[in-house]
Amino acid sequence: MTIPATRPADRYSPLYFLASLGAGGLAVTFFMYLFFWVPHPGQPVPVFEDVAQAFASGGPVMQGMIAVAYFGIAVLAFHNIRLLVWNIAQYRRLKGTPAWHDLTSTNAETQLLAMPLALAMSVNVGFVLGMAFVPGLWSVVEYLFPMALIAFGLIGVLAFRQLGHFFGRVLTRGGVFDVTAHNSFAQLLPAFALSMVAVGFAAPAAMSTVPLTAGISLIGSTFFGVAAILYAVVAAITGFNSMLHYGTARESGPTLMVVIPIMTVLGITFLRQEHGMTHTFGAEVSAVETLVFLSRLMAVQVVFLLLGFLVLNRQGYWRAYIFGAGDSAGAYALICPGVALSVMLQFWLNAGLVASGLVVKFSVGYWAISALAVVIQIVMVWFTFHLNRRHFGRARGSAPVPAE
């Protein structure tokens, strides 16, 4: 007799929400083409009308870039939503099962925060789709901002409820948190979720012309951003201490680089706040201050990128879980750092180097740095579909067992 073969994704883990998250992040990287390369006078982001005008008046290079951007946004947004729906269905089936009890009685309970993380990303993707594909969106955008704030607020409540259950268990009952299993940055996932809520909450601050809407956005995004920073600091310090004692958990090695997307998301949060404070409330922030701020964030990202690659290479993670026989849902955590670096490079270049006058827009140096961001993006697109084939593709045969 044989045991029917199964796909790795059939052994469900909430970490598969990261597959939806990664696809959504990549959709945003394609929107960066439009954001930084298509003129959009009159509003802080490009909308359908701006892109249509650029396509009609631009040359073959501009038209090709727009076509690639639209194709990338459409395909990856589809995968983002498809994988989100699949994950929600699997999540609901998991609840109440013995596997759910095991999950929520260990350190791994914080994996549940991958759900609000992916939900927040999908709301951001919805805005990208609206700006790129919906004519006349900007005429009603002030009515959409309060709805966005409500959506992100509800996602934030969900994240805090899940965290409250976790903290209520581990902080009131001694001995239930396994310090020996804390030897990774897996516990930074809640900080990532809270920072994703913060960046979404900050969007109206950057784009709304209504002071009340922008003010609520500033206050709410500050709350979630500060909460993310506090949690990240505590989890990183205790996690690093455990890694020094017990080594890094091999399957959780990719979490060493989760600091990279947290830095990008918080960085965009603060840039959005800065834009709102400048254009709505009359604050003054110089371009060189923004450059230094983004450079500091990138320095942190590079340090953790090097640390992550060092540990993953020493542990043979690539041979075990990316190109070998093993499969781990946590491998999807490797998409986020690449996406985050690509996006951060674009902001560092345009909001930092160009704005401060160090690089001329569309010069050779400009395109050299842009090319680096695009190369990282392309690698992450390939990596995403590589993982999808491994985890969601056809089962790899059946395992024979002796007949009784």
Side-chain angles (χ1 to χ4, degrees):
M1 60 178 282
T2 60
I3 299 175
T6 59
R7 306 172 304 168
D10 294 329
R11 301 183 295 275
Y12 181 69
S13 163
L15 290 178
Y16 277 115
F17 275 106
L18 299 180
S20 172
L21 174 74
L26 283 168
V28 172
T29 64
F30 281 98
F31 184 73
M32 292 295 100
Y33 294 9
L34 308 178
F35 185 52
F36 290 118
W37 301 340
V38 170
H40 44 91
Q43 70 278 331
V45 291
V47 292
F48 177 83
E49 289 78 8
D50 299 311
V51 180
Q53 181 177 354
F55 189 87
S57 60
V61 174
M62 174 67 78
Q63 292 175 340
M65 178 274 292
I66 292 173
V68 170
Y70 266 69
F71 179 77
I73 291 170
V75 170
L76 289 157
F78 168 76
H79 283 286
N80 166 257
I81 296 169
R82 177 182 66 85
L83 289 167
L84 179 68
V85 172
W86 177 84
N87 268 285
I88 292 174
Q90 296 298 317
Y91 181 93
R92 295 182 65 180
R93 292 191 184 100
L94 180 67
K95 293 189 71 172
T97 65
W100 174 268
H101 177 268
D102 293 340
L103 180 71
T104 55
S105 59
T106 66
N107 297 11
E109 184 178 5
T110 52
Q111 291 180 9
L112 301 180
L113 272 294
M115 183 189 204
L117 173 59
L119 288 171
M121 173 58 81
S122 292
V123 175
N124 286 318
V125 169
F127 264 91
V128 167
L129 290 172
M131 289 183 288
F133 290 95
V134 179
L137 179 73
W138 203 252
S139 63
V140 297
V141 73
E142 292 293 352
Y143 299 99
L144 298 178
F145 288 145
M147 298 171 60
L149 292 175
I150 292 171
F152 284 111
L154 292 174
I155 295 171
V157 169
L158 172 62
F160 274 113
R161 286 188 62 183
Q162 292 176 331
L163 269 177
H165 188 276
F166 173 71
F167 280 132
R169 179 174 62 85
V170 302
L171 295 181
T172 59
R173 296 160 50 195
V176 296
F177 187 82
D178 187 356
V179 177
T180 64
H182 186 32
N183 53 337
S184 70
F185 278 174
Q187 293 300 320
L188 265 69
L189 185 61
F192 192 7
L194 292 174
S195 63
M196 188 64 71
V197 174
V199 74
F201 224 99
M207 294 183 280
S208 178
T209 58
V210 178
L212 180 60
T213 301
I216 293 173
S217 173
L218 284 170
I219 295 168
S221 59
T222 298
F223 171 76
F224 286 108
V226 169
I229 292 170
L230 288 174
Y231 191 98
V233 169
V234 173
I237 292 173
T238 56
F240 202 80
N241 178 65
S242 184
M243 283 186 279
L244 291 175
H245 280 83
Y246 307 106
T248 304
R250 189 184 188 197
E251 194 170 347
S252 298
T255 64
L256 290 173
M257 292 190 279
V258 75
V259 173
I260 298 173
I262 292 175
M263 290 294 101
T264 291
V265 172
L266 287 177
I268 296 173
T269 300
F270 297 137
L271 287 179
R272 287 176 169 179
Q273 290 183 336
E274 175 187 305
H275 191 274
M277 289 187 292
T278 301
H279 292 275
T280 305
F281 298 101
E284 294 184 7
V285 179
S286 68
V288 71
E289 289 177 307
T290 301
L291 172 62
V292 172
F293 169 68
L294 292 175
S295 298
R296 289 168 179 165
L297 295 184
M298 283 198 65
V300 175
Q301 291 179 316
V302 171
V303 168
F304 279 95
L305 179 70
L306 296 174
L307 176 64
F309 268 106
L310 172 67
V311 173
L312 292 175
N313 289 336
R314 290 286 183 93
Q315 292 185 329
Y317 186 91
W318 313 104
R319 294 189 301 274
Y321 298 110
I322 305 301
F323 303 108
D327 293 291
S328 171
Y332 277 97
L334 289 170
I335 299 172
C336 302
V339 169
L341 277 174
S342 178
V343 172
M344 180 57 84
L345 275 170
Q346 294 275 21
F347 275 96
W348 180 67
L349 171 61
N350 289 276
L353 295 175
V354 172
S356 60
L358 294 180
V359 173
V360 177
K361 192 163 188 176
F362 302 144
S363 64
V364 174
Y366 180 91
W367 288 120
I369 299 174
S370 297
L372 177 59
V374 172
V375 168
I376 296 173
Q377 176 199 36
I378 292 171
V379 172
M380 289 301 102
V381 170
W382 170 84
F383 187 60
T384 295
F385 286 101
H386 171 74
L387 289 180
N388 285 348
R389 285 193 299 271
R390 289 181 63 95
H391 288 261
F392 296 94
R394 187 176 300 176
R396 304 174 192 170
S398 57
V401 297
E404 296 183 357

